[in-house]
Amino acid sequence: MPHLSTSPPHFQSLLDAGGLKDKARLTPKEVSDLTGTPMSTVRRWLREKKLRALRTGARYRWILAEDLCEFLRSQEGPDA
């Protein structure tokens, strides 16, 4: 699992810093930018259903901010 450059307890400050303070849903690109994770990894998380997303149509996906936060918490190691 790649190291994420974010810590879930500071998720709200991460959203604030990214200019996404009041966003309830994020695009995969926004998730990639916020976590410092390559888009290919975010797509893999979505494909493998590790990260939940809402689909609108065949191509558009939205990740709820709360789902991203839950996912990041689940990725924390025992020393986090």
Side-chain angles (χ1 to χ4, degrees):
M1 183 63 56
H3 171 71
L4 300 177
S5 63
T6 177
S7 174
H10 305 292
F11 185 71
Q12 189 58 50
S13 62
L14 182 67
L15 286 175
D16 294 347
L20 304 170
K21 181 179 179 182
D22 296 320
K23 258 191 116 149
R25 62 186 188 176
L26 306 164
T27 66
K29 173 72 170 126
E30 289 169 333
V31 170
S32 174
D33 292 345
L34 285 170
T35 61
T37 305
M39 273 293 294
S40 59
T41 300
V42 174
R43 285 189 200 109
R44 181 174 45 83
W45 290 339
L46 294 169
R47 185 178 59 251
E48 294 174 356
K49 303 203 185 300
K50 291 180 178 180
L51 178 59
R52 285 187 292 210
L54 304 172
R55 285 197 133 184
T56 55
R59 300 192 64 173
Y60 297 101
R61 289 184 175 156
W62 297 98
I63 295 97
L64 297 178
E66 65 188 51
D67 288 339
L68 177 60
C69 192
E70 181 180 316
F71 171 75
L72 293 176
R73 277 193 206 104
S74 75
Q75 300 305 304
E76 287 184 326
D79 60 341

